[in-house]
Every structure is written in structure tokens, then in C-alpha cells.
Amino acid sequence: MFKYLVAVLVLVFGAVIWMYFSVGVPVLYSEKNVTVRSVHRMGNLEQPLSRIYISAFYFIPKNKEENIHNEWQKLLHKKLDALVRFHTVQLQGASSILYEIYPEPIIGNLDNLAYDTSITQHGNPAALRRIVPEIESRVLAKDGDLYRADFDHVPPDAYHVLVIMYEGVGSTGGDNVALISRIFLSDIEYAAVSESLLAHEFYHTLGLPDAYTIPEGIATSADIMGLGRYRPIGQTFISQKMLQELGL
Ligand SMILES: [Zn+2]
């Protein structure tokens, strides 16, 4: 009986040793396969985007104070939350967004005609030329009349973006500033696509260009920079090509 047991054990051992050398041990996880993805601004490897910090504002021309939206803060929160969710999924967690909303509406020093242009088909970029310096000098500079020490949390290693909800016309995105009309974010007419319109302008701040022809407006991509800006945020995306440009 004992002899049989020894024989069985020898066979089992032999089988295990044979399997080890001939079949091999499966490798389930290899450190070599893990690459650290470092996302960066399109066209600028020196500007990392692993952490993005948005300072958000509601800006109102001096003569439009009576138009202030009752629930502006709730509105802006909702739209920025949607942007954060979209960004986290699209960038596959390689880039995070934190945001802070300036707690009061900012009443501009000037009337709307001073901020706007007569032609806004191209998104009213002229508004940025006057609104941004005003926010910089009045809110962000320590000696500004609207400076608040409790609104000064930009982490030093974060990419800082300004998002301006504007009580006026147009929408536009530039180097590190996105501006969008409050009407696009609140009106029922734009309800289905408002978050995508905001995201479109935001991605300009990361360097992504428009994916449509100007002035015809014919989309050259289906993603958020092209036709996808007119789709609900849950049904749009950032193209693989643009993700690669961001370092993914
Ligand atoms: Zn655009």
C-alpha cells in the first residue's frame, strides 16, 4: 500500500515539475506593461494637465444687472459638474479638474456695448479682451476691489483656467479662458446641448482647435470640437486623435 502511495506522489511531483518547465507559469501582471501617461496641453509638452483648476465667474455688464439669473450659482455648479464627469471619463482619469465659483456675481465697470462686438458669429472673442483684464485686476490681484483671500486656492502645480458665464452674447475659448453666454447654459432651447457647448469652449483652453470650417461651419469631426458640440454631453466624445495630442 505504502509503495503505491510513494509511486503516486512521485508521479504527481514529476507532473508538476514537467508542467513548470514545459508549460511555464502564466504571468498575470507585469510591471513593464504599466506606462505613466502624462497629459499635457496640445502642442506644449511643458504644460502638464494632470491637475486642472478652474476659477469660475458670473460676469454681468453694468447696465444688465436686472438680468441676473436667480439660480446662477446652482446653474454653474451643475454645468461644471457635468464637465468634470465628462473630462474624467474621456481623459481616462489621467487628468482631474477642481473648480471654485466666485461667490458673488461680478458687476462689470462698463456697459455691455463696451464688452461686446457687433459681430458675434465667431463667438464674441472681443468680450474676452475687456472682461479678462478686468477680472484679473479686480478679483485675482491682491489689491483688487473684489479680491477675496478665501478665493485664492489655485494649487501651484495646477493648470489654471478661467471659466466665465457671461450675461451677454456669444461663447468663445482661448489660451486659458473660456467664456459662455448665460443664455446657453439656462435657456430651454439649449438645454440638451448646454454642457457640450461649455465643454467645447473649455477644450479650447487645453489647446484643442475647432473641427469645423470657417466661415461655412461644416464639421470636420464628429467629436466635441466638431459636430459633437451639438450633441448631449453623454453622447459626445473627444476624438482619439485629439486625445493623442493631449498625450494619451
Ligand atoms: Zn470653438
Side-chain angles (χ1 to χ4, degrees), residues 11 15 20 40 50 78 120 140-142 145 155-156 195 199 209 224 245:
L11 275 173
Y20 183 84
H40 54 80
S50 48
K78 192 167 165 250
T120 55
L140 301 178
K142 282 201 163 66
D145 64 316
E195 290 153 356
I224 188 82
E245 297 281 5

Side-chain angles (χ1 to χ4, degrees), residues 127-147:
L128 289 181
R129 285 200 277 276
R130 287 201 156 149
I131 294 173
V132 174
E134 198 176 319
I135 288 178
E136 280 171 349
S137 64
R138 296 182 61 200
V139 184
L140 301 178
K142 282 201 163 66
D143 60 351
D145 64 316
L146 298 175
Y147 175 80

